[in-house]
């Protein structure tokens, strides 16, 4: 992600052209550099807004509450691409109260930490913090440079936690970390955090991780070759989705890419730094292993500067024509959707890109788009990093049908 410097609920953002297919409404506002919007799995009226500076705010029925869910601002190094970057609730959150955050600490290194909510559902217990021991004896992952921290956290349909890590920063991955099997950087990790609270590491390795038990790569690694996976999500199985993992990976200076991984298809190599999008990049050192898996879609600098991955839409508000389409954005303030055709192997092809920027209010109103979110019904929201607001994507209300066969009845 490349962060730049940076109304009441249900207010329409701007005048719409007649017959606009989608609309944007301000759902909640008043946030400072928000980077994520996450549904509370136990209360459909509540969502959590992650602010880059270290606070997790609470939005209830579209109103920002005055009390934070969690404030980590004293533990977070924020600015540029650093900060509090991710939040995910455990599948058993209703009973365990566990959730996980990803942030850069005051030394600039990545921490994945577990917390537990307090007796008040909209307030976490800060004393419950437990940092996962992901890197040797350290409870953080060293970041050699200040950019490409990744930061997103998502639980998959398999119940495991997926941690997307950038390549460690600088330009063109100078140390070839994304292809180094002994480095966690530049990888997608997959771990099982359903462990006792006393477990010293805070996780174990799933038995079907692709590199488990050999000397070819770190056991935690699920996939290789990512530059900076800025937002990835699973196609929601509970709403009829395929369970595929769809990743928005930020490019160097030519191409932004969307990677599509069928459910359970671990062990892929998405090619960075040897490949940028579907194109050769720096090839002076070999891939860790062949073949490289090309993205299903990429776009160049004529369209944007930094991809923000989104969701395969599985809600109902936008209508059947949008179900199964993948929505994504560019940080510069543009929004698109792609049609996905999934074959018998689970692999998808992308087609029919449609731009929705103007319908949603235009780049000047949307601002810099840092993330997407979905609510309890699978409906889509945009996170405006520069605007400090959450924007609900909706469709215009259909005009009521004109009654037929009307007659004038005289008294």
């Amino acid at each position: 992600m490349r962060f730049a410097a940076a109304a009441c609920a249900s207010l329409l953002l701007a005048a719409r052209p007649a017959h606009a297919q989608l609309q944007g409404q301000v759902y909640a506002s008043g946030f400072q550099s928000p980077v994520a919007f996450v549904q509370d799995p136990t209360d459909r009226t509540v969502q959590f807004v992650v602010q880059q500076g270290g606070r997790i705010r609470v939005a209830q029925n579209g109103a920002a509450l005055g009390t934070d869910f969690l404030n980590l601002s004293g533990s977070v190094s924020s600015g540029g691409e650093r900060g509090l970057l991710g939040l995910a609730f455990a599948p058993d959150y209703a009973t365990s109260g566990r959730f996980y955050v990803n942030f850069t600490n005051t030394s600039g290194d990545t921490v994945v930490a577990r917390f537990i909510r307090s007796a008040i559902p909209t307030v976490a217990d800060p004393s419950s913090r437990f940092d996962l021991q992901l890197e040797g004896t350290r409870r953080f992952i060293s970041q050699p440079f200040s950019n490409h921290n990744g930061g997103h956290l998502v639980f998959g349909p398999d119940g495991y936690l997926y941690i997307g890590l950038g390549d460690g920063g600088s330009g063109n991955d100078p140390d070839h970390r994304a292809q180094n099997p002994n480095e966690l950087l530049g990888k997608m990790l997959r771990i099982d955090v359903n462990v006792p609270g006393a477990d010293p590491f805070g996780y174990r390795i799933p038995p079907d991780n692709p590199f488990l038990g050999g000397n070819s790569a770190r056991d935690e690694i699920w996939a290789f070759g990512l530059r900076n996976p800025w937002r990835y999500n699973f196609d929601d199985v509970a709403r009829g989705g395929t369970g595929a993992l769809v990743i928005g990976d930020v490019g160097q200076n030519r191409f932004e890419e969307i990677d599509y991984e069928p459910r359970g298809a671990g062990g892929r190599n998405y090619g960075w730094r040897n490949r940028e999008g579907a194109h050769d990049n720096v090839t002076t050192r070999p891939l860790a292993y062949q073949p490289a898996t090309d993205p299903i879609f990429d776009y160049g600098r004529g369209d944007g500067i930094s991809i923000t991955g989104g969701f395969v839409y599985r809600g109902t508000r936008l209508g059947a024509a949008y179900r199964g389409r993948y929505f994504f954005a560019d940080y510069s303030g543009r929004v698109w959707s792609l049609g996905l055709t999934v074959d018998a192997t689970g692999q998808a092809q992308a087609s029919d890109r449609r731009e929705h920027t103007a319908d949603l209010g235009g780049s000047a109103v949307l601002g810099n788009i840092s993330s997407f979110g979905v609510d309890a019904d699978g409906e889509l929201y945009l996170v405006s990093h520069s605007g400090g607001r959450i924007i609900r994507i909706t469709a215009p209300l259909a005009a009521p049908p004109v009654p037929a066969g009307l007659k004038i009845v005289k008294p």
Side-chain angles (χ1 to χ4, degrees):
M1 186 62 185
R2 300 182 181 90
F3 288 128
C8 67
S10 79
L11 173 67
L12 287 181
L13 291 173
R16 303 288 182 260
H19 313 303
Q21 292 182 304
L22 297 177
Q23 292 182 343
Q25 298 174 328
V26 174
Y27 174 72
S29 61
F31 305 105
Q32 188 72 34
S33 301
V35 295
F37 177 79
V38 184
Q39 175 67 43
D40 183 336
T42 64
D43 186 341
R44 63 181 296 108
T45 71
V46 171
Q47 296 87 27
F48 297 97
V49 179
V50 179
Q51 296 187 163
Q52 188 181 356
R55 297 169 63 193
I56 301 177
R57 306 280 305 280
V58 183
Q60 187 163 31
N61 293 315
L65 303 189
T67 301
D68 291 339
F69 181 61
L70 183 66
N71 188 342
L72 292 174
S73 54
S75 302
V76 170
S77 172
S78 179
E81 295 181 15
R82 293 174 169 175
L84 178 59
L85 303 174
L87 165 67
F89 293 96
D92 65 350
Y93 178 71
T95 54
S96 72
R98 288 182 175 185
F99 66 94
Y100 296 80
V101 297
N102 185 322
F103 64 90
T104 45
N105 64 19
T106 54
S107 298
D109 297 317
T110 290
V111 174
V112 177
R114 182 184 72 212
F115 286 86
I116 300 174
R117 70 169 180 266
S118 74
I120 303 171
T122 55
V123 179
D125 176 6
S127 69
S128 66
R129 174 177 165 179
F130 179 89
D131 297 352
L132 274 58
Q133 189 171 321
L134 286 162
E135 188 70 90
T137 61
R138 300 190 298 259
R139 297 190 180 274
F140 59 85
I141 299 170
S142 297
Q143 292 283 353
F145 300 96
S146 63
N147 55 342
H148 306 176
N149 300 289
H152 200 36
L153 298 173
V154 175
F155 280 92
D158 50 19
Y160 298 134
L161 181 62
Y162 288 72
I163 304 169
L165 294 175
D167 65 9
S170 190
N172 276 318
D173 191 8
D175 294 314
H176 208 47
R177 296 177 189 273
Q179 295 297 324
N180 185 339
N182 298 310
E183 290 261 11
L184 297 181
L185 297 174
K187 316 296 193 303
M188 183 67 70
L189 311 185
R190 178 183 185 246
I191 60 174
D192 180 3
V193 293
N194 186 22
V195 298
D199 186 278
F201 296 94
Y203 74 98
R204 55 180 161 246
I205 307 297
D208 56 347
N209 266 18
F211 303 103
L212 177 62
N215 297 317
S216 58
R218 291 282 301 273
D219 291 346
E220 294 88 349
I221 296 174
W222 178 252
F224 273 66
L226 296 168
R227 183 178 179 273
N228 194 31
W230 188 255
R231 302 321 189 204
Y232 50 89
N233 290 289
F234 289 89
D235 187 3
D236 189 353
V237 174
R239 298 185 184 280
T242 66
L245 175 61
V246 192
I247 306 167
D249 196 19
V250 178
Q252 176 68 39
N253 51 30
R254 295 187 300 152
F255 298 101
E256 307 297 307
E257 73 180 70
I258 296 170
D259 298 311
Y260 187 95
E261 181 178 287
R263 183 173 181 174
R268 291 188 168 196
N269 188 343
Y270 292 106
W272 175 255
R273 70 179 182 174
N274 300 60
R275 304 278 284 173
E276 182 185 13
H279 312 269
D280 282 342
N281 188 46
V282 179
T283 58
T284 52
R285 295 169 67 177
L287 292 167
Y289 56 93
Q290 300 271 7
T293 299
D294 277 344
I296 60 167
F297 185 81
D298 64 11
Y299 65 89
R301 283 295 175 271
D303 287 341
I305 58 170
S306 181
I307 193 169
T308 297
F311 287 85
V312 178
Y313 178 65
R314 295 294 176 185
T316 60
R317 182 188 297 144
L318 305 187
Y322 286 100
R323 281 184 61 83
R325 292 184 66 85
Y326 178 69
F327 280 78
F328 67 103
D330 190 87
Y331 184 68
S332 60
R334 299 181 71 178
V335 182
W336 300 273
S337 69
L338 283 170
L340 299 177
T341 302
V342 181
D343 65 22
T345 70
Q347 185 57 48
Q349 291 187 337
S351 62
D352 184 29
R353 180 172 63 153
R354 303 176 192 171
E355 183 162 8
H356 308 293
T357 307
D359 285 351
L360 297 175
S363 298
V365 174
L366 296 172
N368 299 122
I369 301 169
S370 57
S371 195
F372 285 77
V374 292
D375 64 16
D377 296 316
E379 301 300 340
L380 280 170
Y381 296 74
L382 288 168
V383 178
S384 176
H385 186 249
S386 55
R389 54 184 171 255
I390 308 301
I391 299 163
R392 177 165 48 195
I393 300 177
T394 188
L397 294 174
V402 177
L406 292 178
K407 297 180 180 180
I408 298 176
V409 179
K410 294 183 179 180

